[in-house]
Amino acid sequence: MQRFEILPHTADVAVAVYGESVPDLFANAASALFELMFEMDSPRPGPTVRVEATGDGLEELLVAWLSELLAIAEVGGVALAGFEVTITGEHQAVGSATATPVEDLVMTGTPIKAVTYHELAVRQAGGIWTATIVFDV
Amino acid sequence: MTLVRSSDVVWDLTRGPGMRVPGRVFASESLMLKVKEDRALQQVENVAHLQGILGHSMAMPDIHWGYGFPIGGVAATDVASDGVVSPGGVGFDICCGVRLLASGFDETDFLARRSELMAELDRRIPRGLGKGAIADAGLVRRTLTGGAATALEAGYGWSSDLDRCEERGTSAEADARAMSSRALERGGGQLGSLGSGNHFLEVQVVDEIMDMQAATAFGLAPGMVVVMIHCGSRGLGHQTCTDQLKLMGSAMNRYGIEVPDRQLACVPVRSPEGEQYLAAMAASANFAWANRHVLAHEARKGFAAAFGVSVERTGMQLVYDVAHNLAKLEQHEVGGATRLLCVHRKGATRAFGPGHPDLPEDLRGVGQPVLVPGSMGTASWVLRGVAGNPAFASAAHGAGRLMSRKQAKQQETGRRVMEGLESEGISIRPGSVGLLAEEAPYAYKDVDEVARVCEVADLAARVARLRPLGVVKG
């Protein structure tokens, strides 16, 4: 199954992300966030970071999760990969990822500044979870 | 939603369900053709739903599809009538803006020292991801309340810089306690850095002057080399907007406010959450003004080193510094009465006309400088504020994007874009060669047309056209 695809947007970057479950969807959205910026095919295994986010409902939780990853990455000067995610109810996401220094990676897209709520949607159809997300670049 | 052409450069959106006011877009026919292709007009309509909005939900000639507000969006809400403030009307890059420096050099001087100067700027101007910053991280917290004045006290820049900066580079409304520790953490290593995307430091030459009196007052002369800097509040501002949007989403329900796009989350200006947002926004703005102040002084040092003169002998006085992502409490006349409004400018520049008391005394006769950058290969413009501006004293902030990043990358490689610009005599020092294609000149609208429409629509008048010579790209 395709994990994500880029959708049209004039100034920013919009994506549709797919997953077989909500944790899978969150992991794939996290992968999309970093794969839009870096070549992440074979990141050097690095230290593991723990990530926790809270939000009211799946959509807000997804924004909180991705925003937290973005902040951790910026402060640490790293890109993240290998996401493991657990979702509790629709209000808490706890996960882990491996960190690679950005100096060791090739940039493939303009750095993402933030995760927006514009046209944000999380839905399930035919057993597949889909999220549409617009990133501010 | 029906779009009606009201004049050569004014298009009105009739009121649809939920819209409190009509929409209004300032654009020529050629600019409007592209606007109709994406969802920017839908965003103008969405903004018209905001509680307390007055007049029109407006958009400047460089309008394009953004998130929440369109880029180029202007909305003024009436503070006394429970008018709202929306972080989506400011954006993540709080107080992103443009700073223009004059110089004592001309194009011949530049050409004689081109490689030395571009090497100095390339080496001195931090940009891109994780590439450091000029100022010490310890200064960041103090800039939140002190703004550019704090950077001045720390030894960066000249005291005359503050005279030519919007709000003198310091908002008194700032409260650092409204910021999260995460925001401070993100901004910690970023004071004096460009960032990435469409941010840049550009060496330009004054190519054409339309209004000599205003140009002289601004400190510009024909053939003068100038430096334009475009950047904002970096991760500190991005995190502040993220934090405040989350808080506002839940607070909005308590005030019974509904919006058609969650990114437009808002609360009354006069509410605890509204005041907290404005305090955090102002603190981020102070950081942004300090950031441009520090970068500008580093550019002076680069010129001094390249030309073998002292920093003072570079003649690099500040022409002006304008923000184009802010919500400001301003007095405006509406329906014959003066009212306190919260004016959101999301990718729009404040443009006070002659006589405005907030302008420095030496510019009060001509109006506020309005800085409109183009793209790497095209002109930039200096405009001036005019009397009777129909958009709550606002004008365009740039050329406006024409093409998505994906489309732009499909047209050319970054290397080809760089070679093309170099062949036109424009030196390019990119943060990343590969990413240059996303910011290629063909991805932007015609900035000359944007400036012309600003003038015809009485948003601002053309003063000088600037041509690029060298670009340090974020």
Side-chain angles (χ1 to χ4, degrees):
Chain A
M1 186 179 67
Q2 187 179 19
R3 293 175 304 143
F4 71 90
E5 63 182 315
I6 298 175
L7 303 175
H9 194 287
T10 310
D12 296 308
V13 176
V15 289
V17 182
Y18 308 102
E20 290 173 353
S21 63
V22 174
D24 193 35
L25 182 75
F26 274 50
N28 288 344
S31 297
L33 173 64
F34 292 99
E35 288 176 28
L36 286 166
M37 297 188 274
F38 302 100
E39 203 173 279
M40 299 291 290
D41 292 343
S42 50
R44 197 182 63 187
T48 300
V49 296
R50 186 183 148 81
V51 188
E52 190 174 338
T54 57
D56 187 10
L58 278 182
E59 291 176 354
E60 190 167 294
L61 183 59
L62 181 59
V63 170
W65 160 253
L66 295 172
S67 299
E68 184 62 11
L69 292 171
L70 203 52
I72 289 170
E74 184 172 292
V75 171
V78 296
L80 302 173
F83 299 94
E84 302 278 347
V85 194
T86 304
I87 307 290
T88 306
E90 290 193 346
H91 58 87
Q92 187 183 44
V94 177
S96 63
T98 55
T100 305
V102 294
E103 291 83 2
D104 296 347
L105 295 167
V106 175
M107 286 200 74
T108 54
T110 295
I112 289 167
K113 291 177 188 168
V115 188
T116 82
Y117 291 93
H118 178 55
E119 302 203 335
L120 176 68
V122 175
R123 56 193 171 274
Q124 185 192 25
I128 300 295
W129 285 88
T130 305
T132 52
I133 310 162
V134 176
F135 296 114
D136 180 24
V137 297
Chain B
M1 178 176 66
T2 309
L3 186 67
V4 179
R5 190 171 190 177
S6 304
S7 81
D8 275 359
V9 292
V10 177
W11 305 70
D12 287 325
L13 281 169
T14 54
R15 271 180 71 179
M19 291 171 72
R20 295 169 192 264
V21 294
R24 175 163 288 176
V25 180
F26 298 93
S28 58
E29 189 157 12
S30 63
L31 290 173
M32 181 54 80
L33 275 177
K34 182 62 192 173
V35 176
K36 287 178 183 170
E37 285 178 18
D38 63 27
R39 294 184 211 165
L41 292 176
Q42 179 65 53
Q43 293 187 317
V44 174
E45 182 182 326
N46 289 347
V47 171
H49 289 236
L50 292 181
Q51 181 173 298
I53 188 169
L54 288 178
H56 293 80
S57 163
M58 285 184 273
M60 301 295 103
D62 50 336
I63 174 178
H64 60 82
W65 185 13
Y67 50 88
F69 272 54
I71 308 302
V74 175
T77 59
D78 185 16
V79 175
S81 306
D82 279 337
V84 293
V85 59
S86 171
V90 172
F92 288 95
D93 198 357
I94 295 168
C95 196
C96 185
V98 184
R99 174 171 286 231
L100 184 68
L101 298 162
S103 88
F105 305 104
D106 62 20
E107 191 170 359
T108 307
D109 299 325
F110 172 81
L111 294 174
R113 307 293 290 174
R114 176 200 290 263
S115 57
E116 293 86 350
L117 177 61
M118 294 310 295
E120 283 290 341
L121 295 174
D122 187 26
R123 182 175 69 80
R124 289 171 178 274
I125 303 299
R127 56 202 189 274
L129 268 184
K131 303 284 172 63
I134 296 162
D136 190 79
L139 195 59
V140 170
R141 184 177 283 275
R142 286 195 284 136
T143 65
L144 300 179
T145 45
T150 297
L152 180 67
E153 285 163 20
Y156 298 97
W158 300 334
S159 59
S160 59
D161 293 341
L162 303 188
D163 300 333
R164 288 296 185 96
C165 187
E166 187 171 330
E167 294 202 40
R168 293 181 60 77
T170 308
S171 170
E173 314 303 319
D175 186 346
R177 292 170 300 182
M179 314 278 293
S180 69
S181 55
R182 177 48 65 74
L184 278 168
E185 218 180 347
R186 286 181 74 174
Q190 298 183 334
L191 182 61
S193 64
L194 275 184
S196 50
N198 59 3
H199 292 171
F200 62 79
L201 181 151
E202 202 165 286
V203 183
Q204 306 165 334
V205 61
V206 179
D207 200 37
E208 195 179 354
I209 288 185
M210 281 76 181
D211 181 340
M212 189 58 80
Q213 187 196 353
T216 304
F218 293 171
L220 297 171
M224 176 190 281
V225 164
V226 296
V227 173
M228 182 175 275
I229 297 170
H230 175 216
C231 65
S233 51
R234 310 283 284 108
L236 182 137
H238 309 163
Q239 186 65 41
T240 298
C241 184
T242 297
D243 295 339
Q244 295 291 327
L245 271 173
K246 188 172 183 185
L247 292 172
M248 243 177 231
S250 51
M252 195 166 58
N253 297 332
R254 291 200 293 279
Y255 295 100
I257 294 172
E258 288 182 8
V259 287
D261 179 347
R262 167 74 171 80
Q263 190 68 27
L264 293 175
C266 54
V267 292
V269 172
R270 296 298 186 221
S271 67
E273 296 86 357
E275 286 173 2
Q276 184 187 5
Y277 170 70
L278 286 171
M281 182 204 73
S284 303
N286 284 344
F287 175 85
W289 278 313
N291 189 31
R292 289 197 288 275
H293 182 96
V294 169
L295 282 165
H297 200 63
E298 195 65 24
R300 286 175 181 142
K301 286 160 78 173
F303 269 69
F307 286 100
V309 298
S310 68
V311 171
E312 290 71 24
R313 292 291 298 272
T314 60
M316 295 174 75
Q317 297 292 335
L318 183 58
V319 173
Y320 209 66
D321 181 300
V322 287
H324 52 227
N325 281 357
L326 277 181
K328 300 185 90 165
L329 299 183
E330 296 171 0
Q331 304 274 358
H332 288 270
E333 199 175 296
V334 182
T338 301
R339 294 160 95 157
L340 181 64
L341 308 181
C342 182
V343 184
H344 300 72
R345 298 186 180 95
K346 172 73 188 84
T349 309
R350 194 190 74 175
F352 285 152
H356 196 285
D358 286 357
L359 292 178
E361 212 172 300
D362 59 342
L363 297 184
R364 219 166 278 165
V366 289
Q368 182 205 301
V370 174
L371 309 175
V372 181
S375 57
M376 293 179 285
T378 62
S380 294
W381 283 87
V382 179
L383 314 179
R384 66 174 180 87
V386 294
N389 177 299
F392 302 105
S394 308
H397 88 306
R401 273 195 88 91
L402 183 67
M403 197 180 277
S404 76
R405 293 174 182 280
K406 189 178 172 185
Q407 283 175 301
K409 281 199 281 196
Q410 284 166 347
Q411 291 234 345
E412 294 277 11
T413 63
R415 176 64 61 189
R416 287 288 299 271
V417 170
M418 186 167 170
E419 287 167 358
L421 290 166
E422 296 272 1
S423 73
E424 291 172 28
I426 302 165
S427 301
I428 305 291
R429 299 293 180 273
S432 158
V433 175
L435 300 187
L436 269 184
E438 294 190 26
E439 291 293 324
Y442 55 72
Y444 285 85
K445 296 180 193 176
D446 178 359
V447 70
D448 294 343
E449 179 67 354
V450 169
R452 186 191 72 81
V453 171
C454 279
E455 184 164 291
V456 176
D458 284 333
L459 298 169
R462 288 175 292 185
V463 172
R465 188 175 189 272
L466 314 174
R467 174 166 52 83
L469 298 173
V471 185
V472 176
K473 190 69 179 166

